[in-house]
Every structure is written in structure tokens, then in C-alpha cells.
Amino acid sequence: MRKTLLAAAALVFSATPALANDNAMIQAADDALAAAFNKGDTAAVGAMYAADATMLPGDNKLYKGADITAWWTGAATAITNLKLTVLETERLSPTYIREISRVEYDTKGANSVHANVTAVVVYKLVNGKWMLWTDIFH
């Protein structure tokens, strides 16, 4: 019993620094996505999603595979100045991290609007690289 408690305590204390690193790591991934999108490289944005990823944007449709890149390509015609800000992360397992973030962008056109919405993303570790696996935003 004592060994079990010591092992559990070691796990809790060793996980705390990883959480701060997770925030920084996911923010860097978000920054890379926004930078690629803002320069019009929607293929690079699509490549940030795992092969088995699912995206659920505000249009209430479910996107997988190449349809995710196509969605981002369409979005590039309507929005600009994308910015993603990590609000919190939680390590779900050694290979999954859940992120809650703020998503900001401006719509294009004569009646431009600044949008400020939230997103929930699950990142999946694939071949040593963190990739978007589930992306929900409204």
C-alpha cells in the first residue's frame, strides 16, 4: 500500500511541470497554425491534422481528411487575422492533450466584424508530433 501511495504521489508531482510545458507547446502549435493560415498556406494548416482527425466548425457539419483542408481553404476567402490563444490544457494521457482556446479573427468585406469565439481541441501524438485530432469551434 505504501509503495502504491508513493508511486501515486510521484506521478502527481512529476505531472505538474509538464502541464506548464503543455501550455507552451500547444500555444506554439496554435501560433504555427495561425501563421500558416494568415499567409494563405491552407495546405500547411490541413497537414497539422492527424489522418483520422475530425473537425466540427460552426456550420454544424463534420469534416474529415481532405475535407478539413478544403474547409480552411474556403475560410481563407472569408476571414483574416486569425489568432489562437490557449486558455488551458489538460493532459488526458501520454498521447492526448485537451485544449480550450480563444479564437479571434476578422471577417473580410465592407462590413468586417471582429469575432471572438472559443474552441475545444484534442491533440494526438502521432509519430512523435502533436497533431490536431478533434477540433470543435463555434
Side-chain angles (χ1 to χ4, degrees):
M1 177 73 168
R2 180 181 165 116
K3 286 182 182 179
T4 302
L5 290 173
L6 288 173
L11 180 62
V12 167
F13 290 118
S14 67
T16 303
L19 293 177
N21 291 340
D22 287 348
N23 284 349
M25 178 179 56
I26 297 302
Q27 185 62 62
D30 285 354
D31 291 345
L33 188 151
F37 179 82
N38 288 330
K39 72 177 186 178
D41 191 353
T42 57
V45 173
M48 294 177 186
Y49 286 80
D52 60 343
T54 302
M55 186 175 76
L56 297 115
D59 65 5
N60 294 317
K61 294 180 184 175
L62 185 139
Y63 295 84
K64 291 184 172 283
D67 290 338
I68 293 173
T69 302
W71 185 91
W72 282 105
T73 300
T77 66
I79 67 175
T80 188
N81 301 323
L82 179 65
K83 180 181 178 188
L84 308 170
T85 305
V86 172
L87 300 176
E88 66 179 60
T89 60
E90 182 174 340
R91 176 88 48 154
L92 303 175
S93 76
T95 56
Y96 291 92
I97 297 172
R98 192 257 309 138
E99 169 198 16
I100 296 175
S101 60
R102 174 173 295 111
V103 179
E104 295 180 71
Y105 58 88
D106 298 316
T107 60
K108 292 181 178 178
N111 298 316
S112 180
V113 173
H114 181 76
N116 187 345
V117 299
T118 53
V120 176
V121 177
V122 177
Y123 279 83
K124 177 181 179 181
L125 189 61
V126 179
N127 298 323
K129 182 178 179 183
W130 288 100
M131 303 189 79
L132 293 110
W133 183 60
T134 303
D135 190 2
I136 305 166
F137 53 96
H138 295 99

